[in-house]
Amino acid sequence: MNNSLSGTARLIGAGLRALLVLTAVCGVLYPLAVTGAAQALFPGRANGSEIRSDGEVVGSALIGQRYDLPKRNPADPEEAARPDLRWFQPRPSNGLGTNSVNTQYALILSGATNRSGDNEELIRWVTDAKQAVIDDNTAGGWTPEPSDVPPDAVTSSGSGLDPHISPRYAELQVRRVAEKNGLTVGQVGKLVADHTEGRTLGFIGEPCVNVLRLNIALRELTDG
């Protein structure tokens, strides 16, 4: 009996020592080492790829955000967001329309719409979104054709949080942004060209435009 209790005590003691050692190594030392290495080698990425403007953090290079007008009724949670057409607009976030599960790039709701291509609700959302893009970007006597509207203007990314749009969607918005800000099409078009990012390593992915960086440059141009 005593031998059994003694053996059990030794096993419990060994288990507790292993737990303490593994907790210290895996729960303290390893995270500290990884965090320290990340801060030393990639401080920008380790801190969330922050984007600053006038010395203040205004967003992340990895997370999209909307550019909307203030609500007419701030107390109404059901009021649909209205885009502020002075700014370049991002792609829809995780769905489309007011029935989307994530219309504000909320991080907790990252994910796709999970609707198939022949889903009637998705088709209606895309159709309505395409018409809204055409209406919003009619400017200077020019009205976009439905064929001018690229897919990323009316569909969300897989995460619903993509901060980029295609150069084609950015160019579609140039006339409207120029008109709303009292700028020339050439000035705004140059901003888009200057902020178009090429493929990673020259062959991975597609060219894209970070909307936040583009709008920061637009504000600097209008303020200047």
Side-chain angles (χ1 to χ4, degrees):
M1 185 69 173
N2 288 336
N3 289 337
S4 177
L5 289 175
S6 176
T8 300
R10 284 197 301 271
L11 288 174
I12 293 175
L16 289 175
R17 289 193 296 272
L19 175 63
L20 291 174
V21 170
L22 290 174
T23 298
V25 172
C26 299
V28 179
L29 298 179
Y30 176 73
L32 287 176
V34 171
T35 300
Q39 290 290 344
L41 299 175
F42 312 103
R45 295 182 181 180
N47 291 312
S49 299
E50 296 174 340
I51 295 180
R52 294 178 177 270
S53 179
D54 296 331
E56 296 183 359
V57 176
V58 294
S60 168
L62 305 176
I63 304 296
Q65 56 183 277
R66 291 186 57 86
Y67 304 86
D68 293 329
L69 294 167
K71 284 188 174 183
R72 294 188 178 95
N73 181 9
D76 182 7
E78 301 299 325
E79 182 181 335
R82 296 173 298 135
D84 187 341
L85 300 180
R86 295 175 302 165
W87 306 104
F88 284 93
Q89 294 296 313
R91 64 188 304 171
S93 173
N94 200 342
L96 303 162
T98 57
N99 294 322
S100 169
V101 295
N102 183 12
T103 59
Q104 296 294 329
Y105 283 88
L107 301 184
I108 197 171
L109 294 174
S110 174
T113 63
N114 292 326
R115 289 175 170 82
S116 64
D118 60 354
N119 180 273
E120 292 184 2
E121 188 174 33
L122 179 62
I123 292 172
R124 185 176 71 254
W125 284 355
V126 169
T127 301
D128 292 345
K130 180 174 284 191
Q131 188 58 53
V133 169
I134 291 172
D135 293 342
D136 288 346
N137 289 284
T138 296
W142 176 76
T143 299
E145 296 293 334
S147 59
D148 294 327
V149 180
D152 62 303
V154 296
T155 57
S156 64
S157 63
S159 68
L161 303 174
D162 191 352
H164 299 96
I165 57 176
S166 65
R168 185 179 167 197
Y169 185 28
E171 290 162 2
L172 179 66
Q173 302 182 62
V174 164
R175 291 178 178 83
R176 181 253 299 162
V177 170
E179 183 176 81
K180 295 291 183 180
N181 289 280
L183 300 170
T184 67
V185 171
Q187 286 176 300
V188 180
K190 186 176 185 303
L191 284 182
V192 172
D194 291 344
H195 288 81
T196 297
E197 304 169 13
R199 293 178 172 86
T200 303
L201 301 179
F203 66 95
I204 300 175
E206 296 292 334
C208 60
V209 180
N210 186 290
V211 181
L212 176 56
R213 293 188 189 279
L214 180 59
N215 279 331
I216 290 173
L218 173 62
R219 189 184 70 176
E220 292 173 350
L221 181 61
T222 55
D223 289 347

Coordinates of all heavy atoms in Angstrom, one line a residue, residues 96-100 113 115-128:
L96 N -22.9 41.7 -49.6 CA -23.3 43.0 -50.3 C -24.7 43.5 -49.7 O -25.4 42.7 -49.2 CB -23.5 42.7 -51.8 CG -22.3 42.1 -52.5 CD1 -22.7 41.5 -53.8 CD2 -21.3 43.2 -52.7
G97 N -24.9 44.7 -49.9 CA -26.2 45.3 -49.5 C -26.4 45.4 -48.0 O -25.5 45.1 -47.2
T98 N -27.5 45.9 -47.6 CA -27.8 46.1 -46.2 C -28.0 44.8 -45.4 O -28.0 44.8 -44.2 CB -29.0 47.0 -46.0 OG1 -30.1 46.4 -46.7 CG2 -28.8 48.4 -46.6
N99 N -28.2 43.7 -46.1 CA -28.4 42.4 -45.5 C -27.1 41.7 -45.2 O -27.1 40.5 -44.8 CB -29.4 41.6 -46.3 CG -30.7 42.1 -46.3 OD1 -31.2 42.7 -45.3 ND2 -31.4 42.0 -47.4
S100 N -26.0 42.3 -45.6 CA -24.7 41.6 -45.4 C -24.4 41.3 -43.9 O -24.8 42.1 -43.1 CB -23.6 42.5 -46.0 OG -22.3 42.0 -45.6
T113 N -19.1 35.0 -48.1 CA -20.5 35.0 -48.0 C -21.1 33.6 -47.9 O -22.2 33.4 -47.4 CB -21.2 35.6 -49.2 OG1 -20.8 34.9 -50.4 CG2 -20.7 37.1 -49.4
R115 N -22.2 31.8 -50.2 CA -23.3 31.6 -51.1 C -22.8 31.1 -52.5 O -21.8 31.6 -52.9 CB -24.1 32.9 -51.3 CG -24.9 33.2 -50.0 CD -25.6 34.6 -50.1 NE -26.6 34.8 -49.1 CZ -26.3 35.3 -47.9 NH1 -25.0 35.5 -47.6 NH2 -27.2 35.4 -46.9
S116 N -23.5 30.2 -53.1 CA -23.0 29.7 -54.4 C -23.3 30.8 -55.5 O -24.1 31.7 -55.3 CB -23.8 28.4 -54.7 OG -25.2 28.7 -54.9
G117 N -22.7 30.6 -56.6 CA -22.8 31.5 -57.7 C -24.2 31.7 -58.3 O -24.5 32.7 -58.9
D118 N -25.0 30.6 -58.1 CA -26.4 30.7 -58.6 C -27.4 31.0 -57.5 O -28.6 30.9 -57.7 CB -26.8 29.4 -59.3 CG -26.7 28.2 -58.3 OD1 -26.2 28.4 -57.2 OD2 -27.1 27.1 -58.8
N119 N -26.9 31.5 -56.3 CA -27.8 31.8 -55.2 C -28.6 33.1 -55.6 O -28.0 34.1 -56.0 CB -27.0 32.1 -54.0 CG -27.9 32.5 -52.8 OD1 -28.1 33.7 -52.6 ND2 -28.3 31.5 -52.0
E120 N -29.9 33.1 -55.5 CA -30.7 34.2 -56.0 C -30.5 35.5 -55.2 O -30.4 36.6 -55.8 CB -32.2 33.8 -55.8 CG -32.7 32.7 -56.8 CD -34.2 32.4 -56.7 OE1 -34.8 33.1 -55.9 OE2 -34.6 31.5 -57.4
E121 N -30.2 35.3 -53.9 CA -29.9 36.5 -53.1 C -28.6 37.1 -53.5 O -28.5 38.4 -53.6 CB -29.9 36.1 -51.6 CG -29.8 37.4 -50.7 CD -29.9 37.0 -49.2 OE1 -29.5 35.9 -48.9 OE2 -30.5 37.8 -48.4
L122 N -27.6 36.3 -53.7 CA -26.3 36.8 -54.1 C -26.4 37.5 -55.5 O -25.8 38.6 -55.7 CB -25.3 35.7 -54.2 CG -23.9 36.1 -54.7 CD1 -23.3 37.1 -53.7 CD2 -23.0 34.9 -54.8
I123 N -27.2 36.9 -56.4 CA -27.3 37.5 -57.8 C -28.0 38.8 -57.6 O -27.6 39.8 -58.3 CB -28.2 36.5 -58.7 CG1 -27.4 35.3 -59.0 CG2 -28.6 37.2 -59.9 CD1 -28.2 34.2 -59.7
R124 N -29.0 38.9 -56.8 CA -29.7 40.2 -56.6 C -28.7 41.3 -56.0 O -28.7 42.4 -56.4 CB -30.9 40.0 -55.7 CG -31.7 41.3 -55.5 CD -33.0 41.1 -54.7 NE -32.7 40.9 -53.3 CZ -32.8 39.7 -52.7 NH1 -33.2 38.7 -53.3 NH2 -32.5 39.6 -51.4
W125 N -27.9 40.9 -55.0 CA -27.0 41.8 -54.4 C -26.0 42.3 -55.4 O -25.7 43.5 -55.5 CB -26.2 41.0 -53.3 CG -26.9 40.9 -52.0 CD1 -28.2 41.3 -51.7 CD2 -26.5 40.1 -50.9 NE1 -28.6 40.9 -50.5 CE2 -27.5 40.2 -49.9 CE3 -25.3 39.4 -50.6 CZ2 -27.4 39.6 -48.7 CZ3 -25.2 38.8 -49.3 CH2 -26.3 38.9 -48.4
V126 N -25.5 41.4 -56.2 CA -24.5 41.8 -57.3 C -25.1 42.7 -58.3 O -24.5 43.7 -58.7 CB -23.9 40.5 -58.0 CG1 -23.1 41.0 -59.2 CG2 -23.0 39.8 -57.0
T127 N -26.3 42.4 -58.7 CA -27.0 43.3 -59.7 C -27.3 44.7 -59.1 O -27.0 45.7 -59.8 CB -28.4 42.6 -60.1 OG1 -28.1 41.3 -60.6 CG2 -29.1 43.5 -61.1
D128 N -27.8 44.7 -57.8 CA -28.0 46.0 -57.2 C -26.7 46.8 -57.0 O -26.6 48.0 -57.2 CB -28.7 45.8 -55.8 CG -30.1 45.3 -56.0 OD1 -30.7 45.4 -57.1 OD2 -30.7 44.8 -55.0

